[in-house]
C-alpha cells in the first residue's frame, strides 16, 4: 500500500551543484507533487560521507567516489509524498546514466557512473537513516494548499 507520508533523501552531488542544476532538479520533485520538508547546502566531511555510503566501503570505486563527493558542496533535500522512495528512484534513473532512460534525471543530465549528479534513497529504511544523518534536527511539518489537487 503506497504511503502518502513517506520521506526520501535526495542529494545533488558536487557535479550537479557545479553545473547549476539545483533549481532544475528541485523543480522536478516539486512539480511531481512532492513536498520539500528540508533543504540545505553542505560541505560534508570524509567521515560523514563514509557513513552515508557505508554499504559500499569495500567497492573498488569507493575512495574515488568519496573524493568526488568532497570536491564541492552538495545540496541536500528531503521530499515527502506518495511512495516517495520508489518514485524518487524512478525519477533518478539507473545508477549508470548510459542505462538511464531519457526523461529521468540521470538520463537527461549525465553520462558517467562516477558523475551521475544526484543521489536518492533506495529503501524506506535507508531513507530514514540518511535523513537522520543529514538532518539531525529533523524535517518540517506543514500543509500545502494544493494537496487536495495532488491527492484523491
Ligand atoms: N558508483 C561509481 N562506480 C560504480 C558504481 C557506483 O562511481 O561502478 C558511484 C555512483 O556515483 C553511485 C554511487 O557510487 O551513484 C553509489 O552507488 P549505488 O550502487 O548506491 O548507486 P545509486 O544508489 O546511487 O544508484
Ligand atoms: Mg545507493
Amino acid at each position: 500500500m503506497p504511503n502518502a507520508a513517506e520521506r526520501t533523501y535526495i542529494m545533488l552531488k558536487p557535479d550537479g551543484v557545479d553545473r547549476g542544476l539545483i533549481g532544475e532538479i528541485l523543480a522536478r520533485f516539486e512539480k511531481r507533487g512532492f513536498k520539500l520538508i528540508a533543504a540545505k547546502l553542505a560541505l560534508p566531511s570524509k567521515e560523514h560521507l563514509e557513513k552515508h555510503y557505508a554499504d559500499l566501503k569495500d567497492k573498488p570505486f569507493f575512495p574515488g567516489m568519496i573524493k568526488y563527493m568532497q570536491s564541492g558542496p552538495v545540496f541536500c533535500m528531503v521530499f515527502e509524498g506518495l511512495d516517495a522512495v520508489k518514485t524518487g528512484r524512478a525519477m533518478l534513473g539507473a545508477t549508470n546514466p548510459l542505462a538511464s532512460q531519457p526523461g529521468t534525471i540521470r538520463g537527461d543530465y549525465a553520462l558517467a557512473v562516477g558523475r551521475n549528479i544526484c543521489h536518492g534513497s533506495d529503501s524506506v529504511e535507508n531513507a530514514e537513516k540518511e535523513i537522520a544523518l543529514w538532518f539531525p534536527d529533523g524535517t518540517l511539518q506543514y500543509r500545502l494548499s494544493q494537496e487536495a489537487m495532488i491527492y484523491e
Side-chain angles (χ1 to χ4, degrees), residues 53 55-56 89 119-120 122:
Y53 281 126
D55 54 329
L56 300 173
R89 290 290 291 193
H119 165 83
D122 64 2

Coordinates of all heavy atoms in Angstrom, one line a residue, residues 53 55-56 89 119-120 122, ligand 2:
Y53 N 27.7 6.3 2.8 CA 27.9 5.3 1.8 C 28.5 4.0 2.4 O 29.2 3.3 1.7 CB 28.9 5.8 0.7 CG 28.2 6.7 -0.4 CD1 28.6 7.9 -0.7 CD2 27.1 6.2 -1.1 CE1 28.0 8.7 -1.7 CE2 26.4 7.0 -2.1 CZ 26.9 8.2 -2.4 OH 26.3 9.0 -3.3
D55 N 27.6 1.1 3.1 CA 27.4 -0.2 2.5 C 28.3 -0.4 1.3 O 28.3 -1.6 0.7 CB 25.9 -0.4 2.1 CG 25.4 0.7 1.2 OD1 25.8 1.9 1.4 OD2 24.5 0.5 0.4
L56 N 29.0 0.6 0.8 CA 29.8 0.5 -0.4 C 31.3 0.5 -0.1 O 32.1 0.5 -1.0 CB 29.5 1.6 -1.4 CG 28.1 1.7 -1.9 CD1 27.9 2.9 -2.7 CD2 27.7 0.4 -2.7
R89 N 13.5 7.1 -6.9 CA 14.4 6.3 -7.7 C 14.1 6.2 -9.2 O 14.9 6.2 -10.0 CB 14.5 4.9 -7.1 CG 15.1 4.7 -5.7 CD 16.6 5.0 -5.7 NE 17.3 3.9 -6.4 CZ 18.7 3.8 -6.3 NH1 19.3 4.7 -5.5 NH2 19.3 2.9 -6.9
H119 N 21.8 11.8 -5.9 CA 21.6 10.6 -5.0 C 20.1 10.5 -4.7 O 19.5 11.6 -4.5 CB 22.4 10.7 -3.7 CG 22.0 9.7 -2.7 ND1 22.4 8.4 -2.7 CD2 21.1 9.9 -1.6 CE1 21.8 7.8 -1.6 NE2 21.0 8.6 -1.0
G120 N 19.6 9.3 -4.5 CA 18.2 9.1 -4.0 C 18.2 7.9 -3.2 O 18.8 6.8 -3.6
D122 N 17.4 4.3 -1.5 CA 16.9 3.1 -2.3 C 15.9 2.3 -1.5 O 15.4 1.3 -2.0 CB 18.1 2.3 -2.7 CG 18.9 1.7 -1.5 OD1 18.5 1.9 -0.4 OD2 19.9 1.0 -1.8
Ligands
LIG2 MG1 22.6 3.8 -3.4

